[in-house]
Amino acid sequence: ADQEQRRKAKMAARLMDSINERGFDAYRALVVDDEVVSRGIICSKLQQFGLNVETASDGEEAMEKLLASPGRYYHMLFTKMSLPKKSGLDLTMELREHIRRDLNDITIVTVTSNPMRDERLVALEHGMDYHIVLPFNDIELKEILLRELENLGPEEAHEKFGFRIIK
């Protein structure tokens, strides 16, 4: 058991070193959350990894920002499922059907404090790509960033860092 823990610790250290070397400063995320504290936590964590971050406080404001942006301006969208004016679910469904290719294939991550499997399934069924729970698991978030922003497939990530990404 101790040997397995040491092996996992080494893999995590390799991942951390890779992230620290690589950084994600060429990428931009839009964070949508009506709660100031939660929005701040999400933004802080993403900025810690080097992402450029912009915010919206509801689904309508998020859609306005996305539509006003030039193509491929935003690389990822982090949103709650329940938001005022337009829910994260409605926002996701609208984006998945949008004519602009950069909007309909944007990576969407739902951020929640609810770890329940039912909520995760609803998010994925509505077109969200990932469901992560606050407080963030740093390694899980970094795996998502590597997969989506650096285009590492599961096998390549496993070879480089020793983990398997499961969407």
Side-chain angles (χ1 to χ4, degrees):
D2 286 342
Q3 191 174 26
E4 179 64 18
Q5 286 178 329
R6 281 193 298 272
R7 187 183 70 76
K8 286 182 180 179
K10 283 182 183 179
M11 287 188 302
R14 279 191 305 196
L15 173 64
M16 296 292 255
D17 290 344
S18 172
I19 293 293
N20 293 336
E21 290 171 13
R22 183 175 268 135
F24 294 105
D25 58 343
Y27 302 103
R28 184 176 320 280
L30 179 61
V31 175
V32 189
D33 197 321
D34 59 323
E35 296 175 22
V36 175
V37 173
S38 296
R39 191 169 57 229
I41 290 169
I42 298 165
C43 290
S44 175
K45 185 58 70 177
L46 294 173
Q47 289 168 336
Q48 177 184 336
F49 297 147
L51 270 81
N52 296 295
V53 179
E54 295 183 15
T55 64
S57 59
D58 61 60
E60 282 186 9
E61 181 184 359
M63 186 55 105
E64 288 170 8
K65 285 187 173 203
L66 289 161
L67 291 174
S69 68
R72 305 263 178 232
Y73 182 77
Y74 293 107
H75 300 92
M76 298 185 83
L77 173 69
F78 289 79
T79 184
K80 284 177 41 178
M81 286 177 57
S82 60
L83 293 165
K85 298 184 182 176
K86 183 182 292 190
S87 73
L89 295 174
D90 290 340
L91 177 62
T92 297
M93 291 187 303
E94 192 172 331
L95 288 170
R96 293 300 182 225
E97 295 173 1
H98 204 278
I99 192 166
R100 271 182 54 185
R101 180 92 175 131
D102 66 306
L103 295 182
N104 70 26
D105 69 358
I106 190 170
T107 298
I108 302 175
V109 180
T110 184
V111 182
T112 181
S113 57
N114 182 358
M116 301 305 289
R117 185 172 190 264
D118 290 349
E119 184 176 286
R120 180 178 185 274
L121 291 175
V122 167
L124 297 176
E125 286 171 355
H126 281 80
M128 294 177 171
D129 297 298
Y130 298 93
H131 177 271
I132 56 178
V133 179
L134 288 175
F136 283 128
N137 173 327
D138 282 2
I139 292 177
E140 178 183 18
L141 181 58
K142 289 174 185 178
E143 289 174 4
I144 291 169
L145 295 175
L146 281 170
R147 180 175 188 167
E148 295 299 326
L149 300 178
E150 295 295 320
N151 296 316
L152 291 184
E155 293 306 317
E156 184 179 1
H158 180 68
E159 286 175 24
K160 284 188 167 191
F161 307 110
F163 60 74
R164 294 217 184 268
I165 302 171
I166 300 172
K167 208 168 188 178

